[in-house]
Amino acid sequence: HILYINPAGRKMVGVQAQEDVTQLKIADVHPEWTNKLFRDEIIPTAIRDGMWTGECAFLNRDGHEIPVMMALLAHKSPSGEVERFSTISIDITERKRAEEVLRESEERYRRITAGLTDYVYTVRVEDGQAVETTQSPACETVTGYTAEEFAADPYLWIRMIAAEDRDRVIEHVRGVYEGKESTTIEHRIVRKEAIS
């Protein structure tokens, strides 16, 4: 049974200010309370360690679930018996929406780049050093190099630029890195089999 819900918690789950929460059961506002995760992991962890933290959900009176980041605390008697639990919860609905938008955006980007005949190649730079590369599936088709080869050598993209264009491209990249306004640049590359 529920003993107390603070005003913010009442608002979250749609319980009126004057409503007697002691007439509610935990499952009325917490649909996951009796599921396997709670029975087998969350409750035992809180009892053993005194607290469990993680994501779960509350149930609003209008029937929709509210994702929350929750800390579940177990309060024990001097003899070690659990007398009650209390929760501190933060509504993470907006964060979940943002994560979903990001996932959808990444999926759209993946579908777009997967269908390109021109390749998309990116280099992540930290402290002036290339540390990571990513490329579209078409990159191997165009250049002859695999994703593993690019990952093993973050500077491969420079070496595969035609020698006549390389200095111009490096100067362009240097300007971009220094924050100068730049436009697109055209250059030639030499495929893997032509270098080998």
Side-chain angles (χ1 to χ4, degrees):
H1 285 277
I2 295 172
L3 302 177
Y4 171 77
I5 305 176
N6 74 350
R10 284 174 179 263
K11 184 176 180 181
M12 182 189 298
V13 298
V15 174
Q16 299 300 315
Q18 68 280 7
E19 189 172 348
D20 181 5
V21 296
T22 63
Q23 298 305 304
L24 298 173
K25 287 192 167 50
I26 294 172
D28 293 333
V29 298
H30 210 311
E32 299 184 26
W33 190 264
T34 57
N35 73 15
K36 183 173 173 54
L37 178 66
F38 262 78
R39 284 198 320 268
D40 296 349
E41 179 185 335
I42 296 176
I43 298 295
T45 299
I47 292 172
R48 183 186 68 244
D49 301 336
M51 181 173 68
W52 174 90
T53 59
E55 292 183 14
C56 57
F58 281 104
L59 184 66
N60 189 284
R61 280 286 173 81
D62 64 11
H64 80 272
E65 290 190 5
I66 304 158
V68 296
M69 177 63 71
M70 185 181 82
L72 176 72
L73 295 87
H75 302 273
K76 299 181 181 181
S77 68
S79 64
E81 295 294 319
V82 175
E83 296 181 324
R84 68 188 188 282
F85 293 100
S86 62
T87 65
I88 302 168
S89 302
I90 300 170
D91 185 341
I92 57 172
T93 301
E94 290 307 313
R95 192 191 84 190
K96 288 292 188 182
R97 284 187 187 136
E99 289 173 353
E100 182 59 28
V101 168
L102 179 60
R103 273 193 299 271
E104 290 172 358
S105 175
E106 289 174 343
E107 177 60 20
R108 278 195 302 273
Y109 178 76
R110 187 196 63 75
R111 286 197 308 270
I112 289 168
T113 57
L116 293 175
T117 53
D118 297 333
Y119 70 86
V120 177
Y121 181 86
T122 61
V123 181
R124 186 164 63 86
V125 177
E126 289 182 0
D127 299 323
Q129 299 294 315
V131 295
E132 181 184 28
T133 65
T134 56
Q135 53 281 320
S136 67
C139 196
E140 182 174 353
T141 304
V142 175
T143 69
Y145 291 99
T146 65
E148 291 75 21
E149 288 173 303
F150 280 115
D153 182 0
Y155 293 97
L156 177 57
W157 70 277
I158 295 174
R159 285 200 305 282
M160 71 180 188
I161 296 171
E164 300 84 358
D165 297 340
R166 195 171 297 141
D167 288 344
R168 183 169 53 86
V169 173
I170 290 172
E171 186 61 30
H172 179 79
V173 170
R174 185 175 290 119
V176 171
Y177 187 69
E178 291 172 355
K180 295 176 183 175
E181 186 174 343
S182 65
T183 58
T184 58
I185 185 172
E186 292 185 7
H187 65 83
R188 295 162 292 175
I189 65 167
V190 181
R191 281 182 55 84
K192 178 181 178 179
E193 62 269 22
I195 296 175
S196 302

